[in-house]
Amino acid sequence: MHSDPTDQRPDKPEEACGIYAVLAPGEPVANLTYFGLYSLQHRGQESAGIAVFDAGHKVRLHKDMGLVSQVFDQDVLERLVGDLAVGHNRYSTTGSSKVCNAQPVVLMTRLGPCALAHNGNLVNAAELRLELADIASELTSTTDSELIAFAIQQAVNGGRDWDGAIRHAASRCRGAFSLVIGTPQGLFALRDGHGIRPLVFGHIGDLADAQWVVSSESCGLDIIGAVFDGDVEPGEIIHFRAGDPLPERSSWCVEEAKLCIFEMIYFARPDSRFFGESLYSYRVRIGEALARETPVAADIVIGVPDSGIPAAIGYSQASGIPFGDGLIKNRYVGRTFIQPTQAMREAGIRVKLNPLPDVLAGKRVVVIDDSIVRGTTSRKLVQALRDAGALEVHMRISSPPVTHPCFYGIDTDTQDQLIAARLSLAEISSHLGVDSLAYLSQQGMVEAAQANSSHFCTACFDGSYPIEMDEQVRSSKLMLEPSGIAASVLLHR
Ligand code: SF4
């Protein structure tokens, strides 16, 4: 398997979006949303936006390409005056990387404006686009998120109230969608029936003040000192109103919960809470499970920063092999960073990770990473560890082999690009140049969550897609017959 030397894409699944909203009359809602989006920056780095409702009927919007800190400054935030803000960080999975595709989407309706921010991906976007053909000329973007907003607008203009319109629009959507929607009647938060993407809510100040915050992850509540109140449940819609200390919670549909387990392994921040604990604890446990399942004689355990570190600590604790910092990461390499040429790479330029020879030389090294997607980065990493003097390199992966693409809001490439879909375990080991390679079992990954094991989407590891796609959508990314998928799936122990 040869990697394309001109291929500059990151060798990790890419998160699609972070969403955030604050309903807090009298508070600087745009500034609070800015900090919330800043804490969710890992979920999307291409564009950012905030829409603010002033006195219900006027909306000010600012969105642009870039990181949150590049898109907003104090002058911009001071102009975004109001009592309800909706914010969004984007990394494109549907629609191209252009400012017209940045969110929130703001539309005018019979009942006033609405501002919508979406995390996820619809699998029936083409169908929905056809159904909305009469307003297609008004579509300004190529995103599925705008289609949801137009479906809400159509339902409102057809006579429904906000709650009815949002439920009606949601029922026309198939796929993953966590939404925050600002309206003149307050803030709505909603998750698709499977709850594939996370969404939590909390409050600031006294509960009686009814100042609400909704965030993709709980780290977005912590950053502004908000109190965590709970998850927006799969299939739930919550209506928050200014001055009302009890939000109105109800189901809009009932399906089996299927949270994306990759959120737990890699995407979400380790300080975000899932199932009553921080993800850091879960990631330590999957490292422990990995050590029990795939032991190896070695002198040191290191993690690939940042997401491989907790699992490396867990592996060390369970195996008794000392943990060390063997790789230093430059934390300031953004998506817009000018990448070195292939010649520069060959000359030894290491932009993101640098190994520490003092720690690694003469040692048998276990290196823990959270996933292997295409394998291009892992191969370079192994060579760098050897160059730093590692005697042996044993790679351990704290998730099963990624053999299937994601259709629900994560960019995992087409199936033919996924190394574990094409090569056997032995072939991957030899491609990466490791002394040994092993993955965590699916059972180990799910059991470590200490939650109902059927309540996860694990499709990128086993192809069990919880939401059906039509043939055109499937064949856009799934190109291998099940019989053609490499034996690494079966042989990963
Ligand atoms: S297919 Fe994979 S990345 Fe996509 S939602 Fe399911 S577990 Fe998550």
Side-chain angles (χ1 to χ4, degrees):
M1 181 156 178
H2 299 289
S3 48
D4 174 0
T6 61
D7 188 352
Q8 306 289 311
R9 291 169 299 162
D11 189 18
K12 285 285 172 197
E14 294 283 302
E15 181 56 85
C17 297
I19 61 176
Y20 199 82
V22 178
L23 173 63
E27 298 293 330
V29 290
N31 288 63
L32 293 172
T33 302
Y34 169 84
F35 285 109
L37 291 180
Y38 187 71
S39 75
L40 299 175
Q41 188 73 80
H42 58 289
R43 298 185 71 88
Q45 296 102 45
E46 284 191 358
S47 65
I50 299 177
V52 176
F53 283 71
D54 191 6
H57 289 274
K58 186 168 173 187
V59 175
R60 295 184 181 91
L61 170 67
H62 182 83
K63 57 183 180 180
D64 209 342
M65 304 303 288
L67 301 172
V68 176
S69 57
Q70 294 166 322
V71 171
F72 296 97
D73 59 26
Q74 198 51 44
D75 284 349
V76 170
L77 291 173
E78 276 169 15
R79 285 198 297 274
L80 294 174
V81 181
D83 42 29
L84 164 58
V86 171
H88 192 266
N89 284 335
R90 177 162 197 268
Y91 166 74
S92 58
T93 51
T94 303
S96 55
S97 180
K98 293 184 194 148
V99 71
C100 64
N101 288 335
Q103 297 187 38
V105 181
V106 176
L107 290 181
M108 184 52 79
T109 75
R110 167 183 78 84
L111 299 175
C114 91
L116 173 143
H118 168 214
N119 174 205
N121 196 49
L122 301 187
V123 295
N124 69 333
E127 208 176 291
L128 197 55
R129 192 170 284 271
L130 279 179
E131 286 173 21
L132 294 168
D134 53 329
I135 45 136
S137 61
E138 294 171 41
L139 294 173
T140 58
S141 79
T142 53
T143 67
D144 52 355
S145 313
E146 192 184 29
L147 296 174
I148 307 174
F150 269 101
I152 294 171
Q153 182 198 49
Q154 196 179 54
V156 168
N157 291 350
R160 288 182 162 85
D161 64 8
W162 285 109
D163 183 79
I166 292 169
R167 286 169 193 265
H168 182 73
S171 68
R172 297 173 74 181
C173 297
R174 217 156 18 91
F177 46 101
S178 284
L179 301 171
V180 284
I181 305 159
T183 75
Q185 294 300 312
L187 169 65
F188 291 84
L190 173 147
R191 269 171 99 194
D192 67 72
H194 297 295
I196 289 185
R197 299 281 146 239
L199 195 62
V200 300
F201 72 100
H203 65 275
I204 38 181
D206 287 338
L207 250 185
D209 295 338
Q211 296 185 320
W212 301 106
V213 186
V214 182
S215 171
S216 287
E217 296 177 32
S218 65
C219 65
L221 305 180
D222 298 338
I223 193 171
I224 62 163
V227 176
F228 173 84
D229 287 321
D231 290 322
V232 178
E233 298 294 341
E236 185 180 32
I237 180 168
I238 308 186
H239 186 183
F240 303 92
R241 289 187 196 83
D244 189 344
L246 272 186
E248 202 177 306
R249 305 185 68 169
S250 58
S251 294
W252 71 270
C253 81
V254 180
E255 312 248 26
E256 190 181 14
K258 291 285 178 189
L259 175 71
C260 168
I261 200 151
F262 238 131
E263 292 276 357
M264 310 226 351
I265 292 165
Y266 166 64
F267 300 132
R269 263 177 47 164
D271 53 337
S272 284
R273 275 189 296 267
F274 284 66
F275 303 110
E277 63 172 5
S278 74
L279 285 183
Y280 178 87
S281 302
Y282 170 70
R283 291 176 187 170
V284 170
R285 281 202 300 276
I286 51 177
E288 291 169 349
L290 189 58
R292 286 193 297 272
E293 290 184 5
T294 67
V296 62
D299 305 309
I300 189 169
V301 181
I302 65 169
V304 179
D306 293 317
S307 49
I309 299 288
I313 291 170
Y315 195 101
S316 166
Q317 285 169 359
S319 65
I321 304 169
F323 169 82
D325 274 327
L327 288 163
I328 302 302
K329 178 180 176 182
N330 183 340
R331 291 166 206 285
Y332 304 100
V333 182
R335 291 178 63 83
T336 51
F337 184 79
I338 296 166
Q339 299 290 333
T341 63
Q342 182 63 13
M344 290 162 85
R345 283 170 198 276
E346 277 160 17
I349 281 219
R350 290 194 197 112
V351 176
K352 271 191 189 161
L353 290 173
N354 202 20
L356 284 169
D358 314 23
V359 175
L360 300 166
K363 305 252 174 68
R364 296 170 299 168
V365 177
V366 185
V367 56
I368 313 284
D369 204 353
D370 51 72
S371 56
I372 302 179
V373 180
R374 283 175 292 136
T376 48
T377 309
S378 311
R379 187 181 154 115
K380 286 178 201 145
L381 175 71
V382 172
Q383 188 55 51
L385 295 175
R386 292 207 189 278
D387 292 348
L391 276 187
E392 295 174 14
V393 178
H394 301 278
M395 185 165 269
R396 295 291 179 271
I397 305 300
S398 62
S399 63
V402 176
T403 53
H404 290 73
C406 179
F407 295 90
Y408 309 139
I410 300 297
D411 189 0
T412 46
D413 250 323
T414 51
Q415 194 177 24
D416 58 333
Q417 297 291 311
L418 305 174
I419 191 169
R422 297 180 52 183
L423 303 185
S424 70
L425 187 72
E427 287 168 331
I428 301 172
S429 301
S430 127
H431 175 75
L432 301 182
V434 289
D435 293 281
S436 76
L437 169 69
Y439 293 84
L440 181 64
S441 68
Q442 187 153 327
Q443 190 183 354
M445 167 182 76
V446 169
E447 279 180 4
Q450 299 179 348
N452 186 326
S453 59
S454 69
H455 284 186
F456 294 101
C457 175
T458 52
C460 48
F461 307 114
D462 60 13
S464 303
Y465 291 101
I467 304 166
E468 265 316 304
M469 292 90 61
D470 65 28
E471 197 40 46
Q472 205 181 356
V473 173
R474 286 181 77 85
S475 58
S476 66
K477 283 184 169 181
L478 262 173
M479 43 271 294
L480 304 179
E481 293 298 321
S483 58
I485 295 175
S488 57
V489 187
L490 305 171
L491 295 177
H492 64 267
R493 290 276 193 111

